[in-house]
Amino acid sequence: MGFEEMAECYKALGDKTRLKILALLMVEDLCVCEFVEVLKMTQPAVSQHIRKLKNVKLVKERRQGQWIFYSLDRDRYPHLHSVWESLPDLSDEVEKLKVNGKKVYCTD
Amino acid sequence: MGFEEMAECYKALGDKTRLKILALLMVEDLCVCEFVEVLKMTQPAVSQHIRKLKNVKLVKERRQGQWIFYSLDRDRYPHLHSVWESLPDLSDEVEKLKVNGKKVYCTD
DNA sequence: CACATATATAAGAATATGCTTATATATACA
DNA sequence: TGTATATATAAGCATATTCTTATATATGTG
């Protein structure tokens, strides 16, 4: 991987909101409307951050009905494994989603 | 380490020139005038990139006479070890410096 | 001390980034 | 087919980034 490509990847990591999105994806796959809840941001703002993460292949998407679930592609860049491990644990945030009835359960 | 601090760190990594500086520092400690030679950039441009790396503690400096040698602080962020290992090997570039008589030898 | 070399800093300009609001597209369902 | 929900995209604006040129500071040397 060349310097340009690497730089684009770290640039994607170089934002607090995107790091939180990735930390949330370490807990489980989530969709945009769930990020909107947790991050208290508008839907377009979230979508634009996710687009940047997709552009550098850090996250994958899979559509399930009207929702699109995003997942962290942990193995895309093996040298980032310890970066993922170093992210703060946000499982409490995901738990709050469930408690508040904002979690999307998809039974496809 | 919080998200804000992490983001600042990855932001520092999110630039092709700075990644090259770090890759060069994987080979050996270097000073600004050597980066200027290798990177074919102006001295202020190089200094400003180094300042960003210093701000997030990725590089350390030590003055030796009129030169300031910069070094990679490999252990500052343990989760970045494999990032350092993944950087392209630029020892050829440092070798060229020596061949062209642009290497700074400091005998302090 | 005067001058050369190495480095840092400041100011300005061009470009990039990250939000906002408005709108388009895709899917589900009655 | 019409409506609701989820998501993406576009345009515009405020701020940040990265260069350039000019200048300041620090060290070494005659």
Side-chain angles (χ1 to χ4, degrees), chain B residues 31 33 43-44 47-48 70:
Chain B
C31 56
C33 60
Q43 174 266 315
S47 282
Q48 286 158 18
Y70 291 93

Side-chain angles (χ1 to χ4, degrees), chain A residues 47-60:
Chain A
S47 282
Q48 285 158 17
H49 281 298
I50 287 181
R51 179 164 51 183
K52 297 203 175 194
L53 294 172
K54 268 197 314 187
N55 285 343
V56 296
K57 315 291 185 190
L58 286 173
V59 305
K60 292 182 291 194

Side-chain angles (χ1 to χ4, degrees), chain A residues 24-25 28-41 46 67-70 93-94 97-98 101-106:
Chain A
L24 288 163
L25 291 179
E28 60 186 61
D29 296 358
L30 296 166
C31 57
V32 172
C33 60
E34 294 172 315
F35 290 121
V36 168
E37 280 296 324
V38 176
L39 302 171
K40 313 283 184 212
M41 293 183 67
V46 169
W67 298 280
I68 298 177
F69 282 86
Y70 292 94
E93 298 295 328
V94 176
L97 259 188
K98 292 173 182 170
K102 300 297 178 57
K103 188 76 190 67
V104 173
Y105 294 103
C106 199

Side-chain angles (χ1 to χ4, degrees), chain A residues 11 15 17-18 41-42 44-45 48-49 52 63 65-66:
Chain A
K11 203 173 294 181
D15 178 273
T17 299
R18 288 193 292 271
M41 293 183 67
T42 63
Q48 285 158 17
H49 281 298
K52 297 203 175 194
R63 179 177 280 276
Q66 65 192 137

